[in-house]
Amino acid sequence: MDTNDSLRVASLWHSMHAISQQLSPTTGCSEIELLEADTFDLHIFQSLTGTKLFVVCKPGTQHMEALLKVVYELYTDYVLNNPFYETKIPIRCELFDINLTQAIQKDRVALLGR
Amino acid sequence: MPPAAPRSGDAIFASVERVNAELFTLTYGAIVRQLLTDLEEVEEVNKQLDQMGYNIGIRLIDEFLAKSNVSRCVDFKETAEMIAKVGFKMFLGVTASVMNWDADGTCCSIVLEDNPLVDFVELPDTCQGLYYCNILSGVIRGALEMVAMKTEVTWIRDMLRGDDAYELQVKLLKQVPEEYPYKDDE
């Protein structure tokens, strides 16, 4: 998927997310946390500021919420603290990419060890 | 997996990288001096400091949420306590206290005894209208706006102007939750 496709899919998701809150038959539903499909799982983390982080993984992968929290911290450290990063444009911060890859590698290794 | 418990301001402050306090104070002082030179009018400088603070606040809030693990505050009283006890501790290393609540719980004062921005600072006569720490009011306003609260933050007491403490009044104007269908940008 290229950048434009990602943006289109993400904005679709943003709307679905909002609709789901209204569709929910129970009160107090705040968001979709997990989408389970045949070939993948989609985990979502939403911060109190409305920023959403997704991870797509193999069905049944554990501890994705913890990974998303780690990614959120990386986002606040390397993206938001970068004075040249403008909000609402795709993230192109090298430090963020490097640390993100490392965090995922670490998680995969830990996962194999469990 | 049960959610992680919220971390205290002390714990987070102890775990982040820190910078020399004098460097911080000098850097902030240099910013204010440069603004005074560039803008000349004290009112303009106040506005600019507030705007800078706002730009910082809208980003700082996510770092605050990520590091402190807090869940949504139940009411504005909890929000104010969070800012004073966790926020100020985490970012400035000082604890503030919350007082002077109004009857409907939408307006309070945050009082700082200690303020690292103003070490060694004395306001000259030519800068008497200056709110030296106005960046702080912008930071709070910006941060709260990103969590759906429109607020007005003003200085009530300022030690550089002869008072005995730094007192910020934070007034909740309205809650603005995002709702679907979203308004298109007009």
Side-chain angles (χ1 to χ4, degrees), chain A residues 17-105:
Chain A
H17 195 105
I19 296 172
S20 71
Q21 283 174 260
Q22 300 193 354
L23 279 181
S24 167
T26 57
T27 53
C29 164
S30 61
E31 62 217 30
I32 306 176
E33 284 179 357
L34 170 63
L35 177 79
E36 283 171 329
D38 283 342
T39 51
F40 68 93
D41 278 354
L42 174 72
H43 292 259
I44 304 101
F45 169 78
Q46 183 177 233
S47 74
L48 292 174
T49 55
T51 309
K52 296 177 196 46
L53 299 170
F54 307 81
V55 69
V56 179
C57 55
K58 267 180 19 195
T61 318
Q62 298 293 308
H63 307 292
M64 288 290 106
E65 294 85 32
L67 177 66
L68 282 170
K69 287 216 89 169
V70 168
V71 176
Y72 184 45
E73 254 196 79
L74 291 177
Y75 167 71
T76 63
D77 281 341
Y78 294 106
V79 178
L80 292 182
N81 284 349
N82 182 346
F84 297 110
Y85 166 70
E86 287 163 47
T87 49
K88 301 185 188 357
I89 62 165
I91 296 171
R92 284 185 195 102
C93 302
E94 208 182 299
L95 280 176
F96 177 66
D97 293 335
I98 295 173
N99 281 279
L100 181 63
T101 320
Q102 279 178 356
I104 297 177
Q105 297 289 19

Side-chain angles (χ1 to χ4, degrees), chain B residues 112-162:
Chain B
L112 288 157
E113 305 286 321
D114 193 15
N115 184 346
L117 291 173
V118 301
D119 289 340
F120 323 122
V121 176
E122 279 173 31
L123 279 189
D125 293 328
T126 48
C127 299
Q128 284 308 307
L130 181 68
Y131 285 112
Y132 187 84
C133 308
N134 218 26
I135 207 167
L136 292 179
S137 57
V139 171
I140 296 177
R141 187 172 61 89
L144 289 178
E145 196 168 301
M146 292 303 276
V147 281
M149 285 178 260
K150 259 206 131 46
T151 53
E152 197 178 78
V153 187
T154 44
W155 288 100
I156 304 284
R157 281 188 283 166
D158 186 334
M159 278 172 98
L160 292 179
R161 292 176 164 214

Side-chain angles (χ1 to χ4, degrees), chain B residues 1 5-6 10 13 27 40-41 49-50 61 67 84 89 101 122-123 127 129 137 141-142 158 167 176 178 180 182:
Chain B
M1 206 170 82
D10 288 304
F13 186 65
T27 306
E40 288 166 14
E41 294 271 331
L49 284 172
D50 184 78
I61 179 69
K67 299 218 156 86
K89 185 73 206 182
W101 279 105
E122 279 173 31
L123 279 189
C127 299
S137 57
R141 187 172 61 89
D158 186 334
E167 186 178 336
V176 277
E178 253 186 279
Y180 188 84
Y182 305 109

